[in-house]
Structure formats: structure tokens, C-alpha cells
Amino acid sequence: MTALGRHLLVEFTGCEPAALADLDGVTAAMLEAARASGATIVTHSFHHFSPHGVSGAVIIAESHLAIHTWPEHGFAAVDFFSCGAVDMDRGLAVLKAAFAATCETRLALERGPLRTISL
């Protein structure tokens, strides 16, 4: 590994607004995404905002999976960080299907590049 971890910033667009506004549904989808990726779930916390939107995170032994939704725009921003061997693609596929997203954009980052860290 050339870095301490991998961080994916994912934007889902064209999502079903009702799915993004549903606190229980977003929570279930995020937990299922963590499980599908092979991550070890430690805890989770989610909150529904008024008038709409859900934010939350699943803390995994490997780091975290976080989300914020904008149902009024059919948009969800997802943050998946892992310093372990998890299959992020499988987890993100669960979320794309759960939110019926028509488009997905990813930005992948290496976190803690070992070439720049003094050991």
C-alpha cells in the first residue's frame, strides 16, 4: 500500500427524492452498504433535518462512511474512507440502487501517502 488509506468522495444525482428524505431508509442503506463492502460496523448515527435532508455516518473499524442528502435536488454526497481491505465498489452500488441514482461521480484520494510521512 502506498498510503494509509483510500478516500472516495461520491456524488449521486438524479436520485429519488423520497428515498433521500427517508431517515430509516437512508440509515438502512448505509448500514447495508457498509456490510456489502465487508467493513466492520462499530456504531452509527443519523439525523433528519427539517424541512428535509438526512445526514449521518457509519463508523467502521476501517474508518467511516458518511452521507448528506438534498431530496429537493435529488442529490446525495457520500464520503467513504478506509484504511483497510474493504470493497468500496460493492458498498457504493448498494447506495446507488437504494437511491435510484441516475448518475454517480467519484473523486478518489490517497490519504496519508507514505512517501511524505516520516517513519
Side-chain angles (χ1 to χ4, degrees):
M1 178 184 260
T2 61
L4 295 175
R6 183 170 180 229
H7 198 161
L8 287 180
L9 304 177
V10 182
E11 295 185 342
F12 290 114
T13 55
C15 299
E16 174 57 44
L20 298 180
D22 178 6
L23 176 64
D24 292 336
V26 170
T27 301
M30 290 286 284
L31 291 169
E32 180 55 31
R35 283 190 288 274
S37 75
T40 304
I41 297 171
V42 175
T43 192
H44 66 277
S45 180
F46 289 85
H47 177 78
H48 183 266
F49 290 94
S50 182
H52 37 243
V54 174
S55 284
V58 179
I59 305 306
I60 58 177
E62 300 81 6
S63 195
H64 70 270
L65 176 59
I67 192 168
H68 187 75
T69 72
W70 285 264
E72 71 275 26
H73 298 292
F75 177 77
V78 174
D79 206 76
F80 201 160
F81 181 58
S82 174
C83 57
V86 300
D87 187 340
M88 293 180 174
D89 292 331
R90 287 187 63 200
L92 293 169
V94 167
L95 296 178
K96 186 174 184 179
F99 305 140
T102 59
C103 188
E104 172 186 346
T105 304
R106 296 183 185 192
L107 173 63
L109 304 169
E110 279 191 343
R111 303 300 302 267
L114 295 177
R115 66 189 171 278
T116 63
I117 296 176
S118 298
L119 298 177

